[in-house]
Amino acid sequence: LLKQVEKTTREADKMGFDIQAEAATDIQKIPAKPSGLPIPSTPASKEQLKAYLQPLMQSTNAAIKPNHKAEITKHLNKGKATGEIAMGYLINREMDKALYLLLNACLTDLEDYLSLNNLGAFMTVSGYAHKSLPILQYVQKHFPNSPTLLNNIGQAWLSLGYTDKADKFLKDACKADSTQTQASFSLAVMAKHQ
């Protein structure tokens, strides 16, 4: 692990990225104590997953601007294609459209594990890691060794301040894929905080 941390630090230095400065300026990266937010249970079936996602979709539907919804209507109910289009909106920082499309993709095809994983990651970086974990853990049942998924679960736990749980998933992500830079970076930041 130490070699991986050193390698990540060297690579970050080459790119002009100061890990110590990042850790010092981004105090939200690792909360001082674990979050007290309740983490819902992981859905055990497609029906439970759908029941978990539907209220999220309802609240997103209520919040999205009507003109934004009108712009994306043509992309709805196309399963995986909708999920792929959602990522384009995410890259363009059109967050409400991206979230609406990702939720639609997931509800349209409950076996679109890529969109479910992307939805979980998006929710984590948006500050809803406690709500993303049930989705990510559901997907993990189907892809237990996916380095991207392991990283996303680790990032969710880390953003909630559960460094012990984050450490396990981030290390597993690096073990599954030694080029998993986000997991390596988070492990490096955690090491700097210890």
Side-chain angles (χ1 to χ4, degrees):
L1 175 64
L2 182 58
K3 288 181 182 181
Q4 184 65 38
V5 169
E6 290 170 347
K7 178 182 172 191
T8 301
T9 303
R10 281 193 306 275
E11 290 172 1
D13 288 342
K14 287 179 190 175
M15 295 185 306
F17 193 83
D18 185 349
I19 290 177
Q20 286 183 309
E22 175 69 16
T25 60
D26 189 5
I27 58 172
Q28 297 300 316
K29 186 70 174 179
I30 303 176
K33 61 180 183 170
S35 167
L37 294 170
I39 299 168
S41 59
T42 301
S45 66
K46 287 182 195 176
E47 294 78 21
Q48 288 181 358
L49 176 63
K50 186 174 186 176
Y52 184 76
L53 294 173
Q54 284 174 328
L56 298 173
M57 182 57 151
Q58 290 167 352
S59 61
T60 303
N61 188 44
I64 193 169
K65 294 177 182 176
N67 62 324
H68 287 193
K69 186 176 176 183
E71 288 177 34
I72 60 173
T73 300
K74 63 185 173 204
H75 303 301
L76 297 175
N77 303 317
K78 296 180 180 173
K80 292 177 183 173
T82 299
E84 291 168 1
I85 293 165
M87 298 314 293
Y89 282 100
L90 182 62
I91 290 167
N92 287 327
R93 300 189 185 273
E94 297 179 72
M95 304 307 194
D96 60 339
K97 295 174 188 175
L99 178 59
Y100 194 90
L101 289 168
L102 274 173
L103 282 163
N104 177 266
C106 295
L107 284 165
T108 302
D109 180 358
L110 293 167
E111 292 183 354
D112 181 359
Y113 300 112
L114 178 59
S115 289
L116 286 163
N117 183 38
N118 288 337
L119 174 62
F122 180 52
M123 291 173 66
T124 296
V125 299
S126 299
Y128 296 95
H130 61 294
K131 292 186 178 185
S132 75
L133 277 165
I135 299 165
L136 295 169
Q137 290 171 334
Y138 176 85
V139 176
Q140 187 190 21
K141 292 178 187 178
H142 301 278
F143 298 94
N145 299 314
S146 165
T148 301
L149 181 60
L150 292 167
N151 172 66
N152 288 344
I153 294 170
Q155 298 300 332
W157 284 119
L158 183 60
S159 72
L160 291 170
Y162 291 94
T163 55
D164 54 336
K165 291 180 180 184
D167 186 70
K168 177 205 177 310
F169 285 100
L170 296 171
K171 285 179 180 174
D172 286 350
C174 291
K175 204 178 303 176
D177 178 3
S178 64
T179 64
Q180 184 53 256
T181 57
Q182 190 176 17
S184 297
F185 174 76
S186 292
L187 287 167
V189 171
M190 287 171 56
K192 296 278 187 183
H193 272 79
Q194 292 176 344

